[in-house]
Amino acid sequence: MVAHFRELYRFRTLIATLVVRELRARYRGSFLGFLWSFLNPLLLMLVYVLVFSVYLRVPMEHYAVFLFTGLLPWLWFSSSLGHATGVIVGSGALVKRILFPAEILPLVSVLSNLLNLLLSLPLLFVFLLAFGIRPGAVIAFLPVLLLIQFVLTVGLALPLAAVNVHLRDVEQILSNLLVLLFFLSPILYPVSTVPLTVHVGGALSVPLRPLYFLNPIAGLVQGYQNIIFFGREPHWIHLAMVAACAAVAFIGGYWIFDRLRDSLAEEV
């Protein structure tokens, strides 16, 4: 793995070039260009606010800012996996080059969507100030959360991209799993609304809240909301669980990708 990291570092200029190329291609021909990086999450947030704050009347102060705080990292995660899963299949010419490390392609998908997130963060802070929310010193933990999410997302993107070359159903399965994961994460609602326990059949009591945080995205989104919206430290136990999941996903994901590496050029 260390040798592969050294190889990726050697290709750092190519990675940067591909990230810029992907961003340009994404908005090529559109009148507003890079402004869509701001407008896409903003419009999505307005739709959810209309449904949950106006129609369903969710009783939460500054709900729009709360929603936007969880929506931005989710969009980075889901867009990265969505793009990365099909990127090797769609880049056969590059993959067939002998000296080209194929893991660059899913990595570029994650990095380009990270850049979109970073471009949207100033808009989030404008919202915070407009609603009278002042980020405290705990905002210093933001790079830690970004790093953990980056490792987790790359760790999932690598095997998804490689397995999808052999089993094209992966993209369809992933799109449905992402919908499920979205509603299982505290993006539209605060963690406090998740019951601590749920009773099954009147006798069996299931600890729902601990099971809820087996989903690493739940702990990750909660971390962003804590430091940005609530102005408090991340829940360290939940964050440690997310970090452990990220490490396992990265090591396991890279191992799977490495095992399938030699077959990729033949299948695309």
Side-chain angles (χ1 to χ4, degrees):
M1 186 178 285
V2 174
H4 289 307
F5 285 156
R6 286 176 182 164
E7 192 173 33
L8 286 176
Y9 182 74
R10 193 163 61 86
F11 282 91
R12 62 189 182 283
T13 305
L14 175 62
I15 292 171
T17 303
L18 290 175
V19 169
V20 173
R21 192 189 72 168
E22 183 167 321
L23 287 173
R24 284 178 176 169
R26 188 174 302 172
Y27 302 113
R28 184 178 299 152
S30 67
F31 178 71
L32 295 177
F34 276 102
L35 282 178
W36 284 112
S37 297
F38 305 96
L39 292 176
N40 282 328
L42 186 61
L43 294 174
L44 191 58
M45 180 202 70
L46 291 176
V47 171
Y48 284 127
V49 167
L50 176 67
V51 173
F52 289 93
S53 189
V54 178
Y55 293 163
L56 297 179
R57 299 182 182 278
V58 174
M60 184 175 189
E61 194 177 8
H62 306 319
Y63 179 72
V65 188
F66 169 82
L67 177 60
F68 205 39
T69 305
L71 195 58
L72 287 182
W74 167 258
L75 288 176
W76 174 26
F77 177 76
S78 60
S79 300
S80 296
L81 295 189
H83 291 153
T85 301
V87 73
I88 293 181
V89 173
S91 307
L94 278 175
V95 175
K96 289 177 180 176
R97 292 184 182 180
I98 297 174
L99 296 178
F100 183 80
E103 61 265 50
I104 282 181
L105 294 172
L107 181 61
V108 165
S109 296
V110 178
L111 287 172
S112 61
N113 283 289
L114 168 61
L115 204 54
N116 263 340
L117 170 73
L118 296 178
L119 289 171
S120 301
L121 282 180
L123 185 62
L124 172 60
F125 287 112
V126 168
F127 265 95
L128 289 169
L129 296 176
F131 280 84
I133 302 170
R134 301 286 184 272
V138 288
I139 199 68
F141 292 115
L142 183 59
V144 177
L145 293 176
L146 291 172
L147 178 62
I148 292 173
Q149 183 170 352
F150 177 76
V151 173
L152 175 66
T153 310
V154 171
L156 296 174
L158 285 170
L160 286 171
V163 173
N164 187 57
V165 172
H166 298 273
L167 184 65
R168 303 296 166 89
D169 303 279
V170 171
E171 285 185 273
Q172 305 305 322
I173 296 170
L174 176 68
S175 62
N176 288 288
L177 283 177
L178 286 175
V179 172
L180 175 64
L181 207 56
F182 176 76
F183 288 103
L184 288 178
S185 303
I187 300 167
L188 299 176
Y189 53 86
V191 170
S192 58
T193 61
V194 179
L196 288 172
T197 58
V198 62
H199 298 284
V200 180
L204 180 62
S205 180
V206 178
L208 185 61
R209 188 79 67 85
L211 292 176
Y212 180 80
F213 282 103
L214 291 179
N215 165 21
I217 302 303
L220 198 58
V221 170
Q222 184 197 40
Y224 283 107
Q225 290 165 343
N226 278 346
I227 66 166
I228 296 175
F229 183 77
F230 294 111
R232 60 194 183 208
E233 292 186 8
H235 190 297
W236 293 113
I237 295 176
H238 293 164
L239 195 60
M241 291 169 63
V242 178
C245 285
V248 171
F250 188 82
I251 295 170
Y254 210 101
W255 183 84
I256 293 172
F257 188 92
D258 210 30
R259 292 297 175 275
L260 297 174
R261 179 191 303 276
D262 293 338
S263 63
L264 298 179
E266 298 173 3
E267 297 292 334
V268 294

